[in-house]
Amino acid sequence: MGWYSPRSNNGFTLIELVVAMAILGVLASMVLPLCEVTVKRNKELELRRSLQTIREAIDHYKDDFERARSDKKIIVNVDDSGYPPTLDDLVSGVEWGGLYPYPKKYLRRIPVDPFDSNRKGWGLRSYVDEPGSTFWGGQDVYDVYCQSKAEALDGSRYQDW
């Protein structure tokens, strides 16, 4: 019968365990970057959605301003652009001189910038500001942008969206 022992070998050897752990480590190191990209992609989708929501609310505000002005329901100053003075006006509601039977609200809340880690808020541009300006003139809110200087997955900067 020689060297064979009837004893059962049900466990793993040390080498098998080391090899299995090495394979798991390689797989984990491959999955981690994919998870990071997925998280960044989700934040980018949220940023696009938030920008679109705010910009649509600004456009609806402008449309209502023009309707109320053309129906002579409100008194307009010469220098009124028709855009909201602040983002908060989109949430608090605006009385359009009887155009609606209630103060019209355009947003339930101001969406959060997912890349705003410093809590600076949205960057604002007024109607008279240059298109790429990062300084808000303060007259009205014509556009919003992300203040993050980071680069997106497609190579563009979030500020330029």
Side-chain angles (χ1 to χ4, degrees):
M1 300 278 197
W3 57 273
Y4 178 73
S5 164
R7 196 177 107 222
S8 168
N9 290 330
N10 290 333
F12 293 105
T13 65
L14 181 61
I15 294 194
E16 289 173 330
L17 288 174
V18 168
V19 168
M21 292 304 289
I23 291 171
L24 284 174
V26 168
L27 290 175
S29 68
M30 291 170 48
V31 169
L32 191 60
L34 288 175
C35 291
E36 290 173 354
V37 168
T38 302
V39 167
K40 190 170 185 178
R41 183 176 294 123
N42 287 339
K43 280 183 156 184
E44 287 182 2
L45 287 172
E46 185 180 342
L47 175 63
R48 286 189 192 277
R49 228 177 287 125
S50 296
L51 287 170
Q52 180 181 11
T53 299
I54 296 172
R55 288 172 176 161
E56 284 177 356
I58 292 170
D59 291 342
H60 290 302
Y61 183 101
K62 173 70 170 167
D63 292 343
D64 285 342
F65 175 87
E66 293 300 329
R67 253 181 70 206
R69 185 179 60 88
S70 67
D71 292 349
K72 301 193 184 332
K73 299 214 179 252
I74 58 172
I75 298 171
V76 180
N77 293 332
V78 175
D79 54 345
D80 279 346
S81 65
Y83 292 99
T86 65
L87 281 181
D88 292 331
D89 290 325
L90 298 173
V91 176
S92 62
V94 178
E95 180 60 52
W96 290 113
L99 189 63
Y100 298 103
Y102 49 85
K104 175 83 182 273
K105 296 180 182 180
Y106 298 89
L107 293 172
R108 291 183 180 170
R109 63 174 179 80
I110 299 171
V112 177
D113 180 352
F115 292 100
D116 186 16
S117 58
N118 298 333
R119 302 286 179 224
K120 293 189 286 188
W122 294 102
L124 305 174
R125 291 188 186 101
S126 69
Y127 186 72
V128 296
D129 293 340
E130 292 295 319
S133 172
T134 57
F135 175 75
W136 181 42
Q139 294 86 352
D140 54 30
V141 179
Y142 174 73
D143 192 20
V144 294
Y145 63 92
C146 177
Q147 294 195 57
S148 173
K149 297 188 185 314
E151 189 174 291
L153 291 173
D154 65 0
S156 64
R157 292 182 327 149
Y158 296 125
Q159 274 186 326
D160 300 332
W161 286 13

